[in-house]
Amino acid sequence: MSDTLTILGLESSCDDTAAAVVRHTPGQSPEILATVVAGQTELHAAYGGVVPEIAARAHAEKLDICVEQALDRAGVALRDMDAIAVTAGPGLIGGVMSGVMCAKGLAVGANRPLIGVNHLAGHALTPRLVDTVAFPYLMLLVSGGHCQFLLVHAPDEFTRLGGTIDDAPGEAFDKTARILGLPQPGGPSVEAAAKSGDPRRFALPRPLLNQEGCNMSFSGLKTAVLRARDALVADQGGITEQDRADLCAGFQAAVCDVLAEKTRRALATYLAHNPATPTIAVAGGVAANQAIRGALETVCDANGVAFTAPPLNLCTDNAAMIAWAGIERIRTGAAYDDLTLMARPRWPLDQSSPSMLGSGKKGAKA
Amino acid sequence: MRPEPLVLGFDTSAAHCAAALLLGDRVLAEMTEEMTRGQAERLFPILEQVLSMGGHAWSDLDAIGVGIGPGNFTGIRISVSAARGLSLSLGVPAVGVSGFDALAYGTEEPVLTSIDGRRDQVYLQQTGAEPFQAHLDELPSDLSHTGLTVIGHGAERLAAHTGGTIAAPAAPVAVAIAAIAGARAASGQVARPAPLYLRAADAAPAADQPPKILT
């Protein structure tokens, strides 16, 4: 019997409905046979953020269609799968639950095993899907909903070195875009506007920059942009294109500075582990920002550390990373899940470090 | 499809997990567990139990029947998502059945069916008409019909309002869903099941206005 694994992955934890088929034979590069992502940007456009109920409604009626498309494009049948991997959290619970229930229906009907995957593990293991990256590596996961530094020791072993204590950078980009009347999603529109801006015109804060450790904060930065805008509006009745470009440039520079400095510190901790081939990987939608990428690459170059970032379609939410995380877990000998698999709104990757964000009945967010 | 299709029906649109296995009109097994949470974890174990009580396996099924609401949004999605996954993996149709049709099943028309919409709201459907949402204190005046039977939530007030007669559902919800699904599947192509929300998502457009751009 061959050790080749072919896995179907499902993802529905935020505003992308996705299905993918990934195949892997030990000693060879993994192969993405198909990856399908159905976005919902237009559904949420009027609300200035992802509306959980609207997202859940869309997932419930799109998931099986995405799965059909992925199987079709891959030219495989459901019964050919070695397992079905599904995001079981963390994320917006309505969407996660739809994914988990659809996956259970697929698994029992095709008589295939089911494996619940942590969405963050999907992002964190993506460098190994597209590149030969050895453990341990340093991961900066930076997206619309998350921001954390992780030491990735193994497919199921992560140490969180720090992260945001409030907003994620992607969220701050979206809010900044809204404050300045730029279209959503904010990442690309703020980045485009920043190109013609002067990052030094507005003195925006670098929250927690001088505080020890790798924790970050982006909520105050967004508020500073709002104050600067309001001052301009009070002064001149509105803002000019140049004002907007300068604010975007100033905001983006502040995010870059914070991420670069905290990466330097995370790197020091990481290098103390004496990794054989020191590597920093980034993932998450914000990793698509060229200025941020550039700032991180500069840090890596200065320290003689390799830098890797998956292609954009694997940086943002997708199901290939879920299928891949499933494969990685199966290879470690992890047990399959049974039909009582739970959808979890919160599920920190590193369960041993003290919680940083969120508490109470739902448990720690990160 | 066989003359007597084997149909698994289930529903989680309210505070329960209900499932039934029917061969034609014959109920082979049936199970209902009351619960306000945990349906997503319990549903499949219950479905497997009902199948095994009825002496059948997943691969024997000819169709799936699923309750599409209205009711609890999350509950509806739990079942609809499960049914869509099952339909794809088993290669059999999944048929969505509304809570109104399940309540009216086996009762002679005209029937006014009613489902709890919380905070004195009800979801109503008059046989053959479009379903809608209403407040129990502000019921429309045109609900009365000769020989009307009223079934479901707030039936007493609805009967007083319409002059209709109160009745209990003729069959448990999952039994009704399976029976209706079997009949619809036998009659031809069916669309993928989709939730029947009857209420928009609770979301307000962004309040903050963009700044004026000076040129």
Side-chain angles (χ1 to χ4, degrees):
Chain A
M1 202 185 94
S2 112
D3 284 335
T4 300
L5 288 174
T6 310
I7 305 272
L8 172 72
L10 277 75
E11 155 65 31
S12 55
S13 67
C14 189
D15 61 345
D16 288 304
T17 315
V21 181
V22 176
R23 178 172 287 163
H24 179 241
T25 305
Q28 296 179 21
S29 299
E31 200 187 341
I32 299 173
L33 301 184
T35 174
V36 173
V37 180
Q40 306 175 359
T41 308
E42 68 291 349
L43 292 179
H44 303 281
Y47 304 99
V50 175
V51 180
E53 175 62 21
I54 291 176
R57 289 183 177 197
H59 287 305
E61 296 186 42
K62 277 187 187 168
L63 264 163
D64 57 329
I65 296 168
C66 288
V67 169
E68 265 180 338
Q69 284 176 351
L71 291 170
D72 198 42
R73 285 185 203 172
V76 294
L78 198 54
R79 63 178 175 279
D80 301 331
M81 298 299 104
D82 291 294
I84 291 158
V86 61
T87 299
L92 300 174
I93 189 65
V96 178
M97 211 177 262
S98 276
V100 167
M101 295 312 288
C102 184
K104 287 179 184 178
L106 294 170
V108 296
N111 196 22
R112 304 280 79 200
L114 175 72
I115 188 157
V117 166
N118 184 307
H119 173 84
L120 301 175
H123 279 302
L125 295 169
T126 299
R128 291 167 52 80
L129 168 62
V130 294
D131 213 346
T132 41
V133 177
F135 296 119
Y137 56 92
L138 176 63
M139 178 83 206
L140 169 58
L141 173 59
V142 58
S143 70
H146 304 279
C147 182
Q148 48 189 298
F149 288 102
L150 293 163
L151 282 184
V152 187
H153 307 283
D156 51 0
E157 197 189 336
F158 307 87
T159 309
R160 191 191 60 232
L161 301 178
T164 182
I165 59 168
D166 43 50
D167 289 358
E171 222 173 328
F173 269 94
D174 285 344
K175 286 176 180 170
T176 294
R178 211 158 72 235
I179 289 167
L180 300 177
L182 289 166
Q184 298 290 324
S189 56
V190 170
E191 183 178 7
K195 284 202 170 77
S196 50
D198 172 8
R200 285 172 302 274
R201 179 173 153 206
F202 294 95
L204 296 173
R206 269 76 173 148
L208 300 189
L209 189 69
N210 297 318
Q211 206 171 92
E212 262 180 71
C214 299
N215 283 352
M216 293 163 278
S217 160
F218 295 98
S219 160
L221 179 56
K222 155 210 77 191
T223 309
V225 172
L226 179 63
R227 292 227 178 90
R229 179 205 76 175
D230 287 347
L232 289 167
V233 171
D235 223 32
Q236 50 192 39
I239 60 172
T240 65
E241 293 280 0
Q242 193 57 51
D243 293 336
R244 179 151 79 178
D246 293 343
L247 275 168
C248 286
F251 165 81
Q252 186 172 276
V255 175
C256 284
D257 283 356
V258 171
L259 288 174
E261 174 57 27
K262 298 292 176 172
T263 300
R264 255 176 231 119
R265 295 187 203 174
L267 194 53
T269 310
Y270 166 58
L271 291 175
H273 284 74
N274 293 315
T277 48
T279 306
I280 295 186
V282 289
V286 179
N289 182 293
Q290 292 300 323
I292 292 174
R293 229 178 239 233
L296 298 175
E297 278 174 302
T298 306
V299 175
C300 289
D301 288 348
N303 290 275
V305 172
F307 176 84
T308 176
L312 180 60
N313 69 326
L314 296 173
C315 262
T316 51
D317 287 353
N318 67 88
M321 69 177 191
I322 301 305
W324 172 245
I327 289 173
E328 289 253 51
R329 280 201 51 210
I330 293 166
R331 298 258 186 244
T332 65
Y336 289 110
D337 286 292
D338 65 20
L339 293 174
T340 63
L341 173 66
M342 256 173 65
R344 302 166 66 171
R346 292 181 175 185
W347 185 2
L349 265 186
D350 175 354
Q351 315 234 7
S352 55
S353 296
S355 76
M356 194 170 68
L357 200 58
S359 60
K361 202 166 64 180
K362 286 191 195 160
K365 186 175 174 204
Chain B
M1 185 144 324
R2 292 184 276 182
E4 297 232 297
L6 183 71
V7 184
L8 179 67
F10 51 92
D11 182 80
T12 52
S13 65
H16 60 235
C17 257
L21 184 67
L22 267 69
L23 184 65
D25 288 338
R26 200 150 55 88
V27 180
L28 301 183
E30 186 209 330
M31 216 174 136
T32 302
E33 279 184 18
E34 303 298 322
M35 64 185 75
T36 51
R37 52 180 57 227
Q39 283 109 324
E41 293 83 55
R42 276 300 287 153
L43 179 62
F44 274 93
I46 286 175
L47 295 181
E48 295 218 302
Q49 202 174 332
V50 166
L51 273 173
S52 110
M53 279 158 52
H56 282 279
W58 288 106
S59 54
D60 298 337
L61 291 173
D62 294 305
I64 303 287
V66 61
I68 56 168
N72 178 281
F73 295 167
T74 301
I76 298 166
R77 281 192 288 268
I78 286 172
S79 279
V80 168
S81 300
R84 282 178 168 236
L86 283 169
S87 171
L88 184 51
S89 62
L90 293 168
V92 301
V95 183
V97 177
S98 78
F100 305 117
D101 288 348
L103 285 173
Y105 173 73
T107 299
E108 204 174 316
E109 297 178 6
V111 184
L112 175 64
T113 45
S114 168
I115 293 166
D116 188 3
R118 301 283 178 98
R119 280 176 252 137
D120 286 334
Q121 298 278 327
V122 282
Y123 302 111
L124 296 172
Q125 188 174 35
Q126 189 83 253
T127 327
E130 285 297 309
F132 60 98
Q133 189 185 182
H135 195 281
L136 272 173
D137 293 333
E138 296 155 23
L139 293 167
S141 54
D142 59 351
L143 290 175
S144 300
H145 273 277
T146 325
L148 182 71
T149 304
V150 179
I151 305 176
H153 184 76
E156 283 185 17
R157 287 175 73 175
L158 287 162
H161 181 78
T162 58
T165 313
I166 300 173
V173 60
V175 171
I177 286 169
I180 295 168
R184 286 191 195 159
S187 72
Q189 287 285 316
V190 290
R192 292 172 203 251
L196 178 64
Y197 295 109
L198 289 184
R199 196 180 276 176
D202 189 10
D208 45 345
Q209 289 302 309
K212 189 175 172 209
I213 303 300
L214 306 172
T215 48

